[in-house]
Amino acid sequence: MSALQLRRTLLYVPGNMPSMLQNIPIFQSDGVIIDLEDAVPLSEKDAGRILVRRFLDAYAQRNKEILIRINPLDSKWGIEDLRAVLPALPDGIRLPKADTPEIVERLDTLLTEFEEELGIEIGRFKILPSIESAAGVINSIKIARCSQRVFALAFGAEDYTASLEIERTKTGEELFHARTRVIWAARAAGIQAIDSIFADVGDMEGLRRETELIKRLGFTGKSLVNPRQIEVVHEVFAPKREEIDYALQVVEAIQKARAMGTGVISLGGKMVDAPVVKRALRVLKTARAHHLIDMDIDDEVIYGQE
Ligand SMILES: CC(C)(COP(=O)(O)OP(=O)(O)OC[C@H]1O[C@@H](n2cnc3c(N)ncnc32)[C@H](O)[C@@H]1OP(=O)(O)O)[C@@H](O)C(=O)NCCC(=O)NCCSC(=O)C[C@@](O)(CC(=O)O)C(=O)O
Ligand SMILES: [Mg+2]
């Protein structure tokens, strides 16, 4: 069984704020994105990257995935950001404004050069491209496939709406097509899809509604700006007891069907066949990753034994 790495919550932490950085070890998010880009004012770009390097050097017992959002590669800070932070071995780089596959390939090449210089395994540093413009959305399938390092696509709704010169609303109609294309691109490439931030940190019900929506669309996680948002998003992504119970019934039903020599069976009046079983196994793998069940989930249930 392939284990599922949960990335439900990636919390942004501004790289120029020592008081916020120091709490990273205690946050319950699946990962953090230490930001050197938009959260850090121009006057603090240099101080910010030095602070982040010091913080990472001291954070020996890493207990969550650490990504660094560098400044765009074509800005005057991007390469300096990489030079400063990579020796402290973050897990990967979140690349903002990833509008083309070429810019991601350029980062891939730079990461290889740094890995050679540092004498570490080639491919160690991962890439999370941020799709945050119309060009990025259109190119998202090429971006998802252009490097082995790309483990997910992230959507950035704030810059996306700014680039389209439109307002971002809480109902999100204006984001629907872009979100869907980012999800299609990521899923077609077999990688995860991470939704944008929800900026109103006081509106927990709004956050819950948006998270329920983006989960239904197919995102596997969400970027966050405030630690108080973590719990709500984890609650939404956790499979519900009824879903787990139904998934267990589906698996039992299909095993019975197979024993009878058929690939389809009725459960509570509804047809159960391979796609239903596939979804059930997904629920069970997610439940296992949430420690809600401890059984082994066997992909052979879908495909049968040879
Ligand atoms: C939003 C707000 C100002 C609210 O402040 P408030 O003061 O009202 O928050 P409170 O809840 O009162 O804070 C209670 C306690 O938690 C501490 N605390 C709060 N937030 C913390 C945190 N993030 N990390 C650690 N600690 C934290 C705080 O220091 C305090 O600690 P203490 O004083 O000790 O009690 C604050 O959260 C914040 O700055 N967030 C990060 C903002 C940021 O990184 N933006 C850039 C990334 S997005 C982007 O670029 C969009 C995107 O590019 C990409 C995309 O979408 O993916 C696109 O284009 O879309
Ligand atoms: Mg942005």
Side-chain angles (χ1 to χ4, degrees):
M1 182 199 70
S2 52
L4 183 65
Q5 177 162 4
L6 290 178
R7 290 193 183 91
R8 304 159 295 182
T9 46
L10 297 182
L11 174 68
Y12 276 108
V13 181
N16 62 331
M17 302 289 285
S19 59
M20 292 189 176
L21 289 169
Q22 73 176 8
N23 286 330
I24 286 178
I26 60 169
F27 294 140
Q28 298 296 313
S29 57
D30 294 322
V32 292
I33 306 160
I34 302 180
D35 192 21
L36 294 172
E37 198 213 11
D38 286 350
V40 178
L42 302 189
S43 59
E44 292 190 27
K45 293 288 185 197
D46 294 333
R49 75 168 77 88
I50 293 167
L51 184 64
V52 170
R53 168 66 182 272
R54 285 202 189 128
F55 166 74
L56 288 179
D57 281 341
Y59 181 18
Q61 304 295 320
R62 309 262 171 101
N63 59 352
K64 53 181 64 69
E65 190 166 56
I66 306 285
L67 304 173
I68 311 294
R69 183 166 75 170
I70 58 168
N71 286 282
L73 270 188
D74 49 12
S75 74
K76 62 178 183 179
W77 304 285
I79 308 266
E80 277 311 303
D81 291 343
L82 289 176
R83 201 184 307 286
V85 300
L86 290 178
L89 303 180
D91 295 297
I93 299 297
R94 177 157 178 166
L95 182 66
K97 280 95 182 171
D99 294 343
T100 62
E102 288 77 20
I103 197 75
V104 179
E105 283 161 2
R106 190 165 158 231
L107 176 60
D108 183 311
T109 304
L110 286 164
L111 291 176
T112 302
E113 285 168 15
F114 278 109
E115 285 161 347
E116 281 167 357
E117 215 174 288
L118 293 165
I120 58 175
E121 183 199 342
I122 304 300
R124 184 197 179 284
F125 296 126
K126 294 179 285 205
I127 300 178
L128 177 56
S130 277
I131 306 295
E132 30 189 0
S133 69
V137 171
I138 289 165
N139 290 327
S140 53
I141 185 67
K142 291 187 191 137
I143 292 170
R145 290 188 162 155
C146 71
S147 161
Q148 289 288 321
R149 298 177 190 269
V150 175
F151 63 94
L153 288 185
F155 180 53
E158 299 296 326
D159 270 298
Y160 170 78
T161 47
S163 80
L164 261 67
E165 301 178 359
I166 57 173
E167 290 304 309
R168 180 175 178 187
T169 67
K170 282 192 177 168
T171 41
E173 291 86 354
E174 70 287 354
L175 302 178
F176 181 75
H177 286 286
R179 276 178 164 151
T180 305
R181 286 197 56 156
V182 170
I183 293 164
W184 285 347
R187 304 314 261 172
I191 59 176
Q192 295 177 330
I194 312 290
D195 188 44
S196 187
I197 59 128
F198 184 79
D200 186 347
V201 299
D203 181 5
M204 290 300 162
E205 270 319 299
L207 172 66
R208 185 179 294 277
R209 273 195 300 278
E210 180 166 281
T211 310
E212 284 167 349
L213 169 71
I214 60 100
K215 182 187 170 194
R216 280 200 300 275
L217 291 179
F219 280 106
T220 50
K222 193 161 175 60
S223 301
L224 308 180
V225 283
N226 189 284
R228 289 186 287 112
Q229 298 179 315
I230 297 168
E231 200 180 329
V232 169
V233 177
H234 283 185
E235 272 171 29
V236 173
F237 273 101
K240 310 289 167 286
R241 192 66 249 173
E242 317 84 75
E243 288 177 87
I244 300 172
D245 289 345
Y246 183 68
L248 290 168
Q249 286 173 30
V250 165
V251 168
E252 199 184 316
I254 201 70
Q255 279 166 333
K256 219 179 270 172
R258 293 258 153 74
M260 294 180 333
T262 169
V264 63
I265 195 166
S266 162
L267 176 64
K270 283 196 200 147
M271 182 186 76
V272 168
D273 63 353
V276 179
V277 178
K278 200 170 179 181
R279 285 200 298 270
L281 290 178
R282 183 78 193 173
V283 168
L284 295 178
K285 281 186 185 182
T286 310
R288 190 183 155 104
H290 280 82
H291 308 291
L292 296 171
I293 55 172
D294 65 2
M295 63 189 276
D296 279 339
I297 295 105
D298 189 350
D299 287 335
E300 271 179 6
V301 172
I302 302 185
Y303 304 106
Q305 277 166 319
E306 291 295 303

